[in-house]
């Protein structure tokens, strides 16, 4: 129960990070489905996942500057 | 005893056990031994029950990619959140966690709750459970596959048991030195590790072909580590510049 609460809280707290993870996984799935790019899917997956952290932190930094 | 089968099982399962140990150690160091033990023990009980109830057909009954994707996604959600927080703390955009104060507050909270407080963090226990369950499941698959293909299940089981004992002993030996690491550094490293395992497993579940299989976890971890350190350095420089221009405008 607590884990579910934390999970919902995580999405609510940081939708950019969760959204970035979902996009990265969706892109990886599309690349694997395209057959020939199956092996190449790992690089966009890793880069997009780190990109979601950068996106989330840059929003936090911008918020911090405005405050 | 078929030594080739025992050796193959030992090597194959040792890799899985080391991966599980990494996650359990991460939970142990950040959330305490009770949490890590509860999650790991529950995973072992569920695994043993599955093996006893389903037996050999387990290898066909469980959709491993589905389990990998769910566990990977959870690890990603938790690991990347920790990594994000640790980066913000390193760069000064978030206050560094005061462990002593947090402990005193937690103690007060626990006292208020009375004897019901168990000291087990549900979230950490779930992480330990996920790691041990998935790696344990993969180990069971290795033992059954190697054992049945060479008609020597006993040798495969023995190889796996020796690997488990050695990995657990290594975990006990490494626990104490790791406890001396500062809290934010620990959370940073744990964030990198959980994010790397999460990326690998979620990718496996989706059908991503990894370069050199499990070795990719090290490559992904290396990428996350280097990219995060560079990002921390860049954010620090940015903050220093902003603070300097702020103090300059205040003095003028």
């Amino acid at each position: 129960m607590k884990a579910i609460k934390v999970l919902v809280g995580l999405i609510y707290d940081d939708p950019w990070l969760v959204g970035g993870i979902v996009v990265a996984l969706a892109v990886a799935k599309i690349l694997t489905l395209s057959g020939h790019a199956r092996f190449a899917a790992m690089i966009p997956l890793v880069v997009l996942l780190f990109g979601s952290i950068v996106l989330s932190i840059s929003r936090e930094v911008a918020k911090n500057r405005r405050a | 005893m078929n030594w080739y089968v025992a050796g193959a099982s030992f090597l194959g399962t040792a890799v899985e056990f080391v991966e599980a140990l990494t996650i359990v150690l991460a939970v142990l160091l950040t959330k305490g031994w009770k949490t890590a033990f509860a999650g790991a023990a529950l995973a072992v009980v569920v695994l043993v029950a599955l093996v006893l109830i389903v037996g050999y057909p387990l290898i066909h009954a469980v959709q491993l990619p589905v389990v990998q994707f769910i566990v990977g996604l959870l690890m990603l959600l938790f690991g990347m959140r920790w990594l994000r927080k640790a980066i913000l703390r390193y760069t000064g955009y978030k206050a560094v966690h005061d462990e002593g104060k947090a402990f005193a507050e937690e103690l007060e909270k626990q006292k208020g709750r009375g004897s019901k407080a168990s000291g087990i963090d549900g979230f950490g226990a779930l992480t330990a459970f996920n790691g041990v369950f998935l790696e344990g499941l993969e180990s069971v698959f290795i033992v059954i596959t190697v054992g049945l293909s060479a008609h020597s299940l006993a040798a495969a089981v023995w190889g796996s048991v020796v690997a488990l004992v050695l990995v657990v002993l290594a975990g006990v030996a490494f626990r104490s030195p790791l406890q001396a690491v500062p809290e934010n550094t620990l959370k940073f490293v744990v964030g990198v590790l959980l994010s790397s395992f999460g990326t690998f497993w979620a990718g496996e579940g989706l059908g991503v072909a990894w370069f050199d299989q499990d070795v990719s976890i090290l490559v992904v971890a290396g990428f996350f580590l280097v990219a995060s350190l560079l990002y921390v350095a860049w954010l620090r420089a940015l903050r220093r510049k902003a603070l300097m221009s702020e103090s300059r405008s205040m003095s003028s």
Side-chain angles (χ1 to χ4, degrees), chain B residues 8-193:
Chain B
S9 172
F10 171 85
L11 289 174
T13 55
V15 173
E16 309 298 338
F17 293 146
V18 168
E19 288 173 18
L21 173 76
T22 311
I23 292 158
V24 173
L25 269 180
V27 174
L28 189 147
L29 293 166
T30 49
K31 299 288 177 186
W33 72 269
K34 271 187 190 174
T35 300
F37 183 76
L42 186 65
V44 171
V45 170
V46 173
L47 264 174
V48 170
L50 266 175
V51 171
L52 289 177
I53 294 165
V54 186
Y56 297 151
L58 182 72
I59 202 161
H60 304 296
V62 177
Q63 291 291 314
L64 193 59
V66 177
V67 180
Q68 282 173 325
F69 180 73
I70 294 168
V71 171
L73 185 61
L74 287 171
M75 291 266 173
L76 270 179
L77 287 171
F78 303 149
M80 291 183 84
R81 193 190 188 198
W82 278 14
L83 184 57
R84 173 188 174 276
K85 269 189 191 168
I87 291 174
L88 283 170
R89 281 181 180 142
Y90 268 141
T91 50
Y93 285 104
K94 204 176 182 82
V96 173
H97 194 56
D98 186 343
E99 193 63 15
K101 198 178 158 203
F103 179 72
E105 281 173 4
E106 186 60 28
L107 207 65
E108 279 303 308
K109 238 191 272 173
Q110 307 260 344
K111 275 182 193 165
R113 279 185 208 151
S115 59
K116 275 185 181 174
S118 60
I120 292 173
D121 179 84
F123 213 30
L126 181 70
T127 307
F129 174 86
N130 282 336
V132 174
F133 181 72
L134 182 60
E135 296 302 345
L137 199 63
E138 289 183 3
S139 302
V140 170
F141 283 13
I142 289 169
V143 170
I144 292 176
T145 314
V146 171
L148 288 186
S149 61
H151 305 288
S152 187
L153 197 62
V157 170
W158 274 114
S160 159
V161 168
V162 172
L164 178 65
V165 172
L166 287 179
V167 170
V168 169
L169 287 175
V172 173
F174 280 118
R175 190 176 61 96
S176 298
L178 284 174
Q179 274 173 330
V181 179
E183 195 212 354
N184 202 45
T185 308
L186 206 60
K187 286 205 165 161
F188 180 81
V189 175
V190 169
V192 166
L193 285 175

Side-chain angles (χ1 to χ4, degrees), chain A residues 10 14 29 49 56 60 64, chain B residues 80-81 84 93 123 206:
Chain A
L10 179 72
D14 204 341
K29 186 65 198 172
L49 282 173
S56 166
E60 182 82 25
N64 203 297
Chain B
M80 291 183 84
R81 193 190 188 198
R84 173 188 174 276
Y93 285 104
F123 213 30
L206 291 173

Side-chain angles (χ1 to χ4, degrees), chain A residues 21-61:
Chain A
I21 293 171
V22 172
V23 169
L25 294 175
V27 169
K29 186 65 198 172
I30 291 166
L31 286 172
T32 57
L33 287 176
S34 69
H36 64 277
R38 195 169 167 256
F39 198 73
M42 65 180 198
I43 295 167
L45 174 64
V46 176
V47 173
L48 285 173
L49 282 173
F50 190 74
S52 64
I53 292 185
V54 173
L55 181 71
S56 166
I57 289 179
S58 59
R59 289 192 66 84
E60 182 82 25
V61 169

